[in-house]
Amino acid sequence: MSRPGFVLEVDERTPPLLFHNGEGFRLERLPLGSRVVYPPESLPGIKDVDAAIDHALDHPQGSEPLTALLTRGMKLTIAIDDISIPLPQMKTPDIRGRILEHVLERAARAGVDDVEIIIATALHRRMTAAEVKRAVGERVYRSFWPHALYNFDAEDPDALIHVGKTEMGEDVEISKRAATSDLLVYVNINLVAMDGGHKSVPVGLASYKSLKHHHNVHTMLHSRSYMDPPASALHSSATRMGHLLAEHVKIFTIETTLNNDTFGPPFDFLMRREWEWSAKDQAAYLATKASTDRAPAHLKRSIFHKIYSPYGITGINAGETEAVHTRTLANLHRQQLVEVNGQSDILIAGLPFVGPYNVNSIMNPILVVCLGLGYFFNLYRNQPLVRPGGVMIMFHPVRREFHQVHHPSYVDFFEEVLAETTDPAVIESKYEESFATDPWYIHLYRTSHAYHGVHPFYMWYWASHAMQHLGDVIFVGGDRKTVARLGFRSAGTLADALEMASETVGRTPRITALKVPPLLLADVR
Amino acid sequence: MGIADDVRQVARGWRWTRRPLVPASVERELTAPHDFPTSWIRTPLGKAAREVAQRWALGPVLNYEVDVEITGADILKPLKPPVIFVLNHSSHLDAATIVTSLPTEWRRKAAVGAAADYFFDVWYRSVATTLFFNAFPIARGGGLRSARLARKLLADGWSLVLFPEGTRTKDGWIGQFRTGAAWLAIEAGVPVVPVALTGTYQAMPRGRSWPKPGRPPVGVRFGTPIWAEDGERPQSFSDRLRLGLGAVIEEDRTGWWQTLRAGAEGELLDPGGPQVAQWRRMWEGSRPARRSHARSVWEPEKDEWSHEAPWSAGELLAGGFPGEGPEAFDAGDDEEP
């Protein structure tokens, strides 16, 4: 039986609590009375996944069964989510590959010859052949790669089509192949409430021209939070685009949700509540801590990015996008929602080694900000966990290191843009266009494995709501110069950070800490 | 921080030499499900192992550490198993004391209900608890799983040893009863035998992991079986069981006749003790137990365990402890009554 999420109140009997700290961990004793929000324990996964996929495809929501939509001579395009989810990567077989096999099996039986599979990368880096093979499975990979299974290219003018404008004047420009297909099937993994629904096709297969309508500071400041689609301007914009697209192309959405089985052995101690740690868990922690404290960063990264999660599948739904997404969100909330009473003055979180944009890569300082102030801060519904003007304290070393292949524009963003200003609005108006249209970044995006030139800007905008909301941001253990460049402050220990925070929130703050991962969504009453 | 610091932090955080603590806010929530299997101890091989553990290990050690006096076991003679023994709970000595005090034929067919979250939290404690006490896990928050197992044991002819308070007393007096024991007795139609344990609180109170030195006296007194009346609700029956157990304790303290008289006069002390300041309840509850038997010739004339409470039930009911003057701090009368 999986236990629901839980809010711990720290007392004298509470052991030290574990927090992620980049490619490492730390135990911290929080002040008495602090609240710690624990995610719900893992729901049981579906036992027969293949049967569940069959059932979803044959009994879809608000649509004919997939088999009825497949006809000889048709043009079929399948798009799948890229490597940015799930986090960490899931153990093989990846659910995307399993679903693809079921879809393709039906397409083969229906005599569909014209099939293409697109990795919906938008402006993310192109996945490598090995990464694609891992996601789609050997059978699909061997049958389609590289000509009919490929990464989306948002900078190929011949591969894009301008579908039209929404009632709000937003350009909808997406993959031509997808938009001109008789049927577009989208296979998604819904890791958080932000994913899926109309955020799949209009975002994952869109160009910069289309994306800039919702990936901007104004939209982000009006998304409270973007983990709560009804309250998110980002999702409103994507929904408008989705409605326009639905008039032009038949979209069959397949969405999946995962349980909270994030870490398997030997890291399963990360999943346990500390007061239930066995001697084995304590030994595993000590061994991991001793290793991570001493190992060089590149070795730790290579080890950590080999952590594959033994996720179970909690739901597979297919059919019309909105009908499917309603069920998906319900499934997701079943696994992730935790009720929390009221806001606090300080929010504490330990940032892990991986975020959506550094899988098999390096979490550079801008991605640290995106993960902490973008994603972790926004893991709420109704109202943020921390009050306006409050403080967010995060554990992360914030090293000044960049993956030169994956994040070339990030280096320049850090060195040139952040040296000038950290204000998202100023950054957007002054620098975004030049980075977005820089031919060298475009070349690297299209031919190498680089994120698009504009991507670091989006990461910064992602944090704009938190930056506007918070009075102070402190990184415990963060490299001082790097953190200062980001516009924040660094502290050596949690005690120092709380001391620094007292300038903003006083000497007796209410403190809430997030125990993430595994993921949770705080329903703040 | 070096490795040594990390080890020290973990050792302190999880109290390596002691049982780890659980935050109070966690105790209010659902505890983890406990699935430790205990049926193996009731197989022929398990019974043999338990016999050895109880008879040749637990019994001798207990008798070496404390001086157990058993009274009233003859009330069991007319009874047929299964029955439910309900006991007051003040010490970790209690389970060992009752298990080694039951007549052999009853001991061999008795299973002890133990708190799942405390005795079945780790495998080695679960194994030891099961082996020595023929224990089965009980979820303190209630729950069908515990009830199902207890029902099955009763149906299979096992007598149950239950501590309806659900936890050890903090001050030596009896706490509120949970209704599980009453509910089981009503459902199975079995009698309940109240058993008063005295002296265990003084011998090994909360916080101690071994009895005090000097073989402190411990008393086990069996009371008259209590049956549920037709249609009686568990809560009402549970209240009667609590009063019944209180009467057995009172009988141990003052005597059989005196308890009968006090009962007739409505002067029986509430087993929960007088409603006075907590420290005074603690003070009285922790008063060293007296020996009820005659002094052996080789015992010293001045017996450190012979401090008798200088008050009566009636006086306590009157709202406080008498003798509150300086004489209350005297050593008291050392002579046996």
Side-chain angles (χ1 to χ4, degrees):
Chain A
M1 193 186 84
S2 53
R3 293 176 290 179
F6 165 68
V7 181
L8 170 79
E9 191 176 308
V10 174
D11 58 15
E12 298 87 345
R13 295 152 58 171
T14 307
L17 303 177
L18 180 132
F19 287 94
H20 287 259
N21 185 33
E23 289 97 6
F25 311 99
R26 58 197 296 160
L27 287 176
E28 291 290 346
R29 279 201 179 275
L30 299 185
L32 297 181
S34 302
R35 298 184 308 177
V36 187
V37 188
Y38 282 81
E41 287 184 342
S42 202
L43 294 170
I46 294 169
K47 282 195 172 66
D48 190 343
V49 174
D50 288 318
I53 296 170
D54 280 333
H55 184 270
L57 300 183
D58 295 340
H59 304 88
Q61 310 298 316
S63 164
E64 308 97 307
L66 180 62
T67 314
L69 300 173
L70 298 169
T71 52
R72 186 180 298 278
M74 75 181 299
K75 189 175 178 183
L76 171 65
T77 302
I78 308 169
I80 66 167
D81 276 338
D82 75 342
I83 200 166
S84 57
I85 40 181
L87 301 169
Q89 296 180 77
M90 73 191 302
K91 281 187 172 175
T92 52
D94 192 297
I95 187 64
R96 286 166 288 208
R98 295 177 84 164
I99 291 173
L100 277 175
E101 288 192 15
H102 282 260
V103 172
L104 291 167
E105 182 73 33
R106 284 163 171 75
R109 285 207 196 126
V112 181
D113 286 323
D114 188 2
V115 178
E116 286 190 17
I117 304 167
I118 307 175
I119 319 283
T121 49
L123 304 183
H124 298 176
R125 70 171 176 87
R126 296 181 329 121
M127 285 171 72
T128 64
E131 288 167 341
V132 171
K133 187 176 180 180
R134 198 175 182 284
V136 302
E138 193 273 339
R139 198 174 163 201
V140 175
Y141 177 82
R142 192 149 48 96
S143 306
F144 291 91
W145 181 266
H147 304 296
L149 165 61
Y150 51 85
N151 291 290
F152 172 62
D153 183 351
E155 288 292 349
D156 179 2
D158 298 333
L160 296 170
I161 186 168
H162 189 272
V163 177
K165 288 186 180 234
T166 68
E167 64 270 28
M168 302 286 281
E170 297 146 318
D171 295 282
V172 180
E173 184 176 66
I174 70 158
S175 155
K176 185 191 277 183
R177 165 75 201 194
T180 57
S181 293
D182 298 309
L183 178 66
L184 172 60
V185 175
Y186 196 99
V187 181
N188 130 299
I189 297 178
N190 227 100
L191 186 69
V192 288
M194 184 188 73
D195 303 332
H198 286 300
K199 200 177 160 296
S200 290
V201 175
V203 175
L205 295 174
S207 67
Y208 169 65
K209 185 178 180 179
S210 195
L211 290 168
K212 67 181 182 183
H213 287 291
H214 41 66
H215 278 54
N216 57 57
V217 178
H218 179 268
T219 306
M220 288 301 151
L221 289 178
H222 291 82
S223 298
R224 307 277 175 101
S225 74
Y226 42 76
M227 295 296 172
D228 187 14
S232 162
L234 165 72
H235 288 82
S236 303
S237 175
T239 301
R240 287 191 293 272
M241 293 180 176
H243 288 163
L244 181 70
L245 274 173
E247 295 169 13
H248 290 80
V249 60
K250 171 75 178 170
I251 301 174
F252 188 87
T253 301
I254 306 168
E255 292 192 342
T256 63
T257 46
L258 309 176
N259 66 10
N260 263 349
D261 268 346
T262 310
F263 298 104
F267 297 105
D268 45 356
F269 68 93
L270 298 171
M271 305 272 292
R272 296 211 179 89
R273 296 170 181 183
E274 289 83 351
W275 54 93
E276 293 171 359
W277 274 18
S278 65
K280 181 168 154 265
D281 295 326
Q282 293 166 43
Y285 163 77
L286 284 171
T288 310
K289 178 85 163 60
S291 314
T292 51
D293 282 355
R294 283 153 190 80
H298 67 275
L299 178 63
K300 284 191 282 190
R301 271 196 296 273
S302 62
I303 292 169
F304 274 91
H305 284 288
K306 291 284 187 295
I307 293 178
Y308 298 119
S309 302
Y311 294 120
I313 311 297
T314 56
I316 301 168
N317 288 286
E320 190 276 322
T321 305
E322 287 181 12
V324 166
H325 197 54
T326 303
R327 294 170 72 96
T328 300
L329 283 181
N331 260 332
L332 197 89
H333 290 162
R334 203 161 51 91
Q335 176 61 86
Q336 293 184 6
L337 266 188
V338 185
E339 204 167 292
V340 180
N341 285 320
Q343 296 178 308
S344 57
D345 302 305
I346 296 177
L347 178 63
I348 298 176
L351 303 185
F353 63 95
V354 67
Y357 316 109
N358 74 307
V359 177
N360 298 332
S361 185
I362 296 172
M363 188 180 286
N364 62 52
I366 293 133
L367 291 179
V368 171
V369 172
C370 175
L371 183 66
L373 297 181
Y375 287 102
F376 276 51
F377 175 85
N378 277 279
L379 289 171
Y380 74 84
R381 284 202 325 185
N382 299 322
Q383 55 178 349
L385 280 156
V386 57
R387 67 166 172 82
V391 176
M392 188 162 177
I393 297 173
M394 289 170 276
F395 300 107
H396 197 279
V398 202
R399 284 185 290 265
R400 191 186 162 283
E401 46 186 5
F402 295 83
H403 196 293
Q404 299 295 338
V405 173
H406 294 163
H407 303 119
S409 61
Y410 280 72
V411 183
D412 295 340
F413 181 86
F414 182 83
E415 297 294 353
E416 296 169 18
V417 176
L418 292 182
E420 290 291 325
T421 177
T422 57
D423 184 329
V426 175
I427 287 173
E428 181 181 39
S429 60
K430 199 171 172 185
Y431 297 100
E432 184 191 304
E433 191 70 24
S434 62
F435 271 68
T437 54
D438 185 289
W440 178 239
Y441 294 145
I442 291 172
H443 173 74
L444 292 177
Y445 162 78
R446 295 191 63 190
T447 59
S448 176
H449 294 280
Y451 280 83
H452 195 275
V454 80
H455 204 261
F457 289 79
Y458 291 171
M459 298 301 95
W460 205 253
Y461 304 162
W462 231 243
S464 54
H465 165 33
M467 289 183 196
Q468 184 195 53
H469 184 89
L470 295 167
D472 199 358
V473 175
I474 302 166
F475 283 93
V476 176
D479 176 73
R480 285 185 192 284
K481 279 187 178 173
T482 309
V483 172
R485 170 63 59 88
L486 298 169
F488 307 124
R489 299 202 288 168
S490 173
T493 64
L494 176 61
D496 291 347
L498 292 170
E499 184 70 29
M500 292 157 70
S502 69
E503 301 161 15
T504 312
V505 294
R507 290 256 160 217
T508 54
R510 290 160 299 161
I511 299 172
T512 300
L514 278 177
K515 284 287 293 183
V516 174
L519 284 162
L520 63 83
L521 181 58
D523 200 0
V524 186
R525 298 293 175 184
Chain B
M1 264 188 12
I3 292 178
D5 292 325
D6 289 334
V7 172
R8 200 173 299 119
Q9 185 185 31
V10 172
R12 285 178 184 163
W14 279 267
R15 309 197 329 159
W16 279 0
T17 55
R18 292 170 289 165
R19 176 187 294 271
L21 292 171
V22 175
S25 51
V26 176
E27 286 183 340
R28 292 195 292 268
E29 296 290 317
L30 281 175
T31 51
H34 296 274
D35 290 320
F36 184 79
T38 59
S39 54
W40 56 272
I41 197 65
R42 291 178 282 277
T43 61
L45 197 62
K47 287 177 187 173
R50 179 158 47 89
E51 184 68 18
V52 172
Q54 288 179 346
R55 195 163 173 189
W56 304 110
L58 189 64
V61 169
L62 188 81
N63 271 305
Y64 180 77
E65 292 295 338
V66 295
D67 179 10
V68 183
E69 182 186 25
I70 304 165
T71 321
D74 53 341
I75 66 103
L76 296 173
K77 280 183 181 157
L79 296 176
K80 285 195 169 64
V83 303
I84 295 177
F85 297 98
V86 296
L87 301 87
N88 55 314
H89 194 19
S90 50
S91 166
H92 281 327
L93 273 181
D94 293 348
T97 304
I98 183 63
V99 159
T100 54
S101 302
L102 285 169
T104 305
E105 66 275 17
W106 286 90
R107 172 172 59 78
R108 287 177 178 161
K109 286 291 284 180
V112 179
D117 57 303
Y118 196 93
F119 291 101
F120 290 87
D121 57 343
V122 288
W123 70 267
Y124 50 88
R125 211 173 348 254
S126 305
V127 169
T129 306
T130 309
L131 175 66
F132 281 98
F133 305 117
N134 184 16
F136 64 96
I138 290 184
R140 289 200 239 209
L144 281 175
R145 207 183 320 207
S146 309
R148 266 201 297 269
L149 181 53
R151 267 193 314 212
K152 185 179 181 306
L153 289 169
L154 278 172
D156 292 345
W158 293 88
S159 294
L160 303 186
V161 176
L162 300 176
F163 299 95
E165 291 164 271
T167 185
R168 288 169 293 156
T169 177
K170 292 181 175 65
D171 55 14
W173 300 92
I174 295 185
Q176 284 305 309
F177 271 23
R178 299 170 192 216
T179 55
W183 180 80
L184 279 169
I186 292 169
E187 200 188 47
V190 297
V192 178
V193 178
V195 185
L197 294 174
T198 53
T200 52
Y201 181 76
Q202 291 85 347
M204 196 170 107
R206 271 174 182 261
R208 281 192 73 93
S209 53
W210 202 252
K212 289 177 180 173
R215 283 194 88 213
V218 164
V220 181
R221 180 177 291 274
F222 291 88
T224 313
I226 306 171
W227 295 79
E229 291 164 2
D230 286 344
E232 189 168 18
R233 307 286 305 162
Q235 184 61 58
S236 149
F237 187 40
S238 187
D239 292 343
R240 278 206 302 127
L241 292 179
R242 187 166 175 268
L243 290 172
L245 181 56
V248 184
I249 293 172
E250 186 67 8
E251 183 181 325
D252 193 77
R253 205 172 64 82
T254 59
W256 174 73
W257 172 250
Q258 288 80 353
T259 307
L260 279 180
R261 289 291 306 122
E265 297 296 329
E267 289 181 354
L268 263 184
L269 185 65
D270 183 281
Q275 297 307 308
V276 294
Q278 182 62 31
W279 78 266
R280 296 170 70 199
R281 290 166 54 82
M282 191 81 79
W283 191 252
E284 290 308 321
S286 59
R287 189 178 291 282
R290 68 179 172 84
R291 290 189 188 283
S292 57
H293 60 277
R295 182 166 56 84
S296 304
V297 290
W298 55 82
E299 284 174 352
E301 197 167 321
K302 188 176 188 326
D303 183 0
E304 63 171 307
W305 302 107
S306 64
H307 304 314
E308 189 179 349
W311 36 257
S312 71
E315 286 172 320
L316 283 172
L317 279 174
F321 297 110
E324 289 170 300
E327 68 278 11
F329 298 95
D330 290 347
D333 187 0
D334 287 342
E335 288 181 18
E336 294 292 337

